[in-house]
Amino acid sequence: MTHAPAPFDPAAHGWKILHWHEDGFPTLVGPFWSKKDGDGWVYGLVAEPRHGNAHGIIHGGMLVTFLDQILGVTCWTAANKAPVVTIQLNTHFVSGAKAGEFLEARAEAVRATRSMVFVRGQLTVGERIVATADGVWKRLGAS
């Protein structure tokens, strides 16, 4: 009799729950995880069956949601923790992900101006790229 492997436990591998939003939409699809990675951060999500689509793979909307959150927190940091909102997010799906896999996201702010932050990032499962993204976030209150 074969047993399914135990699901990945981020906490057991040094990951901490990302407490960026305490309420609202992000709390419905997480939890998202974070871990220091050199000078930056890496973020994680354990893909669950509830994140899937009718084809048995993680729904593109879930992948975009994860990217939006992680690129957004990267922009927030680049904006000296001032409020930011997404004004453009371009996503390219490269391969699929399945329930049980641990998705990792890395992002970098490419440029920050007085009113905008430009960012790019990618989602991976191990060495496999699942999606890439780039976008622009607006600093709230900046003109």
Side-chain angles (χ1 to χ4, degrees):
M1 180 171 158
T2 54
H3 295 280
F8 181 75
D9 179 2
H13 291 87
W15 293 80
K16 306 279 187 216
I17 290 182
L18 175 63
H19 292 287
W20 191 37
H21 291 288
E22 298 300 326
D23 57 11
F25 180 72
T27 64
L28 300 174
V29 295
F32 299 124
W33 297 84
S34 63
K35 185 175 178 180
K36 194 75 172 137
D37 184 36
D39 291 336
W41 291 87
V42 60
Y43 301 92
L45 171 72
V46 177
E48 299 176 24
R50 68 188 175 111
H51 298 133
N53 63 20
H55 306 293
I57 58 175
I58 302 308
H59 194 284
M62 182 62 230
L63 299 176
V64 172
T65 295
F66 185 33
L67 283 163
D68 185 53
Q69 290 300 300
I70 299 321
L71 272 62
V73 76
T74 301
C75 289
W76 174 75
T77 301
N80 298 315
K81 300 185 178 176
V84 294
V85 293
T86 312
I87 61 171
Q88 181 177 336
L89 178 59
N90 308 306
T91 307
H92 302 274
F93 301 105
V94 179
S95 67
K98 295 182 178 181
E101 291 184 315
F102 187 66
L103 295 159
E104 292 187 13
R106 288 175 173 78
E108 67 173 324
V110 176
R111 182 168 184 237
T113 70
R114 192 172 64 75
S115 62
M116 306 283 188
V117 181
F118 300 81
V119 65
R120 66 179 166 215
Q122 71 177 17
L123 289 180
T124 58
V125 172
E127 297 295 316
R128 186 177 84 243
I129 296 173
V130 175
T132 63
D134 62 80
V136 182
W137 269 246
K138 170 95 171 123
R139 293 181 192 229
L140 290 180
S143 51

